[in-house]
Amino acid sequence: MTPPTTVPMCLPEISDAERDAVLEVLSSPVLALGPRLSAFEAAVAETAGALHGVGVNSGTSGLHLAMIAAGVGEGDVVLTTPFSFVASANCVLYERARPVFVDIEPVALTIDVEALEDRLGRLLAEGARVKAILPVHVFGQPCDMDPILALASRHGLTVVEDACEAIGATYKGRPVGALGRAGVFAFYPNKQMTTGEGGMIVTDDARWDDLFRSLRNQGRDVFDGWLEHSRLGYNYRLDEMSAALGLAQVARLETLLVARQRVAEWYGERLRGVEGIELPSRAPWTTRTSWFVYVVRLASGEARTAAIEALAARGIPSRAYFPPIHLQSFYRERFGHRLGEFPIAEDAGRRCLALPFFPSMSASQVDLVCEVLSAAVGARWESSDPGCRVVT
Ligand SMILES: Cc1ncc(COP(=O)(O)O)c(C=O)c1O
């Protein structure tokens, strides 16, 4: 029998401010495309240091629209990483283009810049129509953006940041999101801030801002009349209830990020030095991690399976995170991908384990997870004094 859950995997942080904001919308006549959306867009754009923000109904929708804006079409190639959520590559397929994967570096698990340059060189030599680079700021750490942007500019490529997991992260002191031509945030309830379902595209480009507004709204341009549609568009709009929730959340983003950071530090203090558990590491270019998940690497895939089972037996959920995209059955069948192509992503995919993580997580909940995890890897947990907790 499955034991009852003792610690949730994630938990959105919803206060009276959020409840009041959503109820206020419900008492108003405007439930879509209203003032909360505009205010939310301005607030997220400001957080990202961008000139424009366009709210959409998911991170995936935002990535899709960014691919369209980048002119990605049938037969084109977009370079990205296989160590991500499947939406990062699916958005390329929506436009009948080909996602070409590049392995990751082993520190922050983001796209490996040397491998990127090498793969791009080979693609260009083959005559491939490479259109864009889609770096993913995975687990809340930025990619090494400067060399990516320099490479893109040398070859006339568009850079779209998948910042779905990284709102508030900074790269060499600069917020992620508008480092490339556009970036996309996601607000699913496990994210640093939530709108329920929802996402936001940020950009400094005024023409792209107009284009995104049209594309998310059935192709209606700002100057189009009612039921006039200048282009093929979608219904990717973000409603006012979600926008009001997001506005209240983004106003508290700093507090939420600090709370997440504190939980990450508790994990670090308790698990540091435990044999068989590798802690998350910070890349030299990361000036702020926006803690999205707390992911450790265990010694092997077998050790991870044993840990998942031991945690589950105590009612503690955990997630094997990420199974690389190229090994998903659909990608294998369609593109002939196989094991061994991207060794670092595959190794991370075998050994990474996301532990329960949310801003209101208590120190005793962290203790419990660490105790069970340590036992699962063969270390014994002892004192409640941070720094001297584990006896191996
Ligand atoms: C890296 C990454 N890209 C894209 C997405 C897609 O966002 P959404 O679930 O809002 O469509 C996610 C969401 O989990 C993600 O983690």
Side-chain angles (χ1 to χ4, degrees), residues 286-305:
T286 301
T287 38
R288 183 178 201 184
T289 301
S290 168
W291 287 95
F292 163 50
V293 276
Y294 195 84
V295 175
V296 293
R297 275 176 267 186
L298 301 189
S300 62
E302 295 72 36
R304 183 177 70 175
T305 305

Side-chain angles (χ1 to χ4, degrees), residues 58-60 63 84-85 87-88 136 162 164-165 186 191 198:
S58 72
T60 307
L63 289 170
S84 180
F85 184 62
S88 316
V136 184
D162 181 339
C164 286
E165 302 190 352
K191 296 292 189 299

Side-chain angles (χ1 to χ4, degrees), residues 91-359:
C91 65
V92 178
L93 294 183
Y94 297 157
E95 289 307 304
R96 296 169 307 284
R98 183 160 60 103
V100 169
F101 297 116
V102 173
D103 211 349
I104 53 174
E105 41 76 28
V107 179
L109 308 176
T110 58
I111 197 160
D112 180 312
V113 173
E114 263 181 44
L116 174 66
E117 188 159 7
D118 177 64
R119 191 74 184 94
L120 175 61
R122 284 188 286 129
L123 282 163
L124 294 175
E126 288 162 14
R129 290 204 321 257
V130 185
K131 268 279 168 53
I133 304 175
L134 188 79
V136 184
H137 305 312
V138 79
F139 301 161
Q141 270 209 77
C143 304
D144 190 3
M145 289 301 292
D146 281 345
I148 295 172
L149 292 168
L151 187 66
S153 128
R154 276 205 301 283
H155 295 281
L157 309 179
T158 303
V159 176
V160 171
E161 292 168 69
D162 181 339
C164 286
E165 302 190 352
I167 190 163
T170 61
Y171 169 75
K172 299 183 182 172
R174 285 131 62 198
V176 301
L179 297 171
R181 183 92 177 265
V184 179
F185 299 121
F187 306 127
Y188 190 72
N190 64 342
K191 296 292 189 299
Q192 294 90 330
M193 53 165 279
T194 187
T195 54
E197 295 285 1
M200 178 91 57
I201 317 171
V202 290
T203 183
D204 284 341
D205 187 317
R207 277 185 307 138
W208 271 30
D209 177 51
D210 285 345
L211 181 59
F212 291 137
R213 284 175 198 287
S214 166
L215 288 169
R216 77 161 174 202
N217 192 20
Q218 304 286 14
R220 212 168 116 186
D221 256 323
V222 274
F223 48 77
D224 277 340
W226 178 245
L227 295 185
E228 267 179 34
H229 306 273
S230 292
R231 58 176 60 75
L232 174 67
Y234 304 84
N235 179 357
Y236 284 172
R237 297 183 298 258
L238 185 72
D239 64 72
E240 284 287 284
M241 288 73 75
S242 304
L245 175 53
L247 188 57
Q249 288 262 289
V250 75
R252 298 202 294 128
L253 181 62
E254 186 54 31
T255 311
L256 295 172
L257 292 181
V258 168
R260 293 180 94 92
Q261 159 107 28
R262 189 191 52 198
V263 176
E265 281 165 6
W266 285 340
Y267 268 124
E269 284 162 7
R270 286 154 178 77
L271 294 176
R272 189 158 296 114
V274 180
E275 213 175 307
I277 301 179
E278 219 177 291
L279 298 187
S281 44
R282 184 171 164 145
W285 55 79
T286 301
T287 38
R288 183 178 201 184
T289 301
S290 168
W291 287 95
F292 163 50
V293 276
Y294 195 84
V295 175
V296 293
R297 275 176 267 186
L298 301 189
S300 62
E302 295 72 36
R304 183 177 70 175
T305 305
I308 292 172
E309 284 168 6
L311 288 160
R314 295 286 295 275
I316 303 169
S318 60
R319 301 274 184 272
Y321 214 44
F322 283 111
I325 300 174
H326 69 287
L327 298 179
Q328 300 281 349
S329 56
F330 166 61
Y331 277 84
R332 281 186 194 241
E333 280 157 29
R334 181 134 168 206
F335 297 103
H337 286 301
R338 58 192 161 35
L339 196 65
E341 270 184 276
F342 305 105
I344 302 177
E346 290 165 14
D347 178 63
R350 256 189 307 273
R351 298 195 294 117
C352 278
L353 182 67
L355 302 175
F357 188 69
F358 46 96

Side-chain angles (χ1 to χ4, degrees), residues 23-110:
L23 283 175
E24 206 177 292
V25 177
L26 293 173
S27 309
S28 83
V30 184
L31 303 189
L33 292 178
R36 272 88 179 178
L37 179 57
S38 308
F40 181 43
E41 290 174 337
V44 173
E46 192 185 338
T47 298
L51 294 179
H52 310 281
V54 181
V56 283
N57 57 6
S58 72
T60 307
S61 313
L63 289 170
H64 181 199
L65 298 191
M67 289 299 98
I68 297 173
V72 170
E74 186 152 9
D76 289 338
V77 164
V78 176
L79 287 153
T80 189
T81 156
F83 193 69
S84 180
F85 184 62
V86 71
S88 316
N90 283 352
C91 65
V92 178
L93 294 183
Y94 297 157
E95 289 307 304
R96 296 169 307 284
R98 183 160 60 103
V100 169
F101 297 116
V102 173
D103 211 349
I104 53 174
E105 41 76 28
V107 179
L109 308 176
T110 58

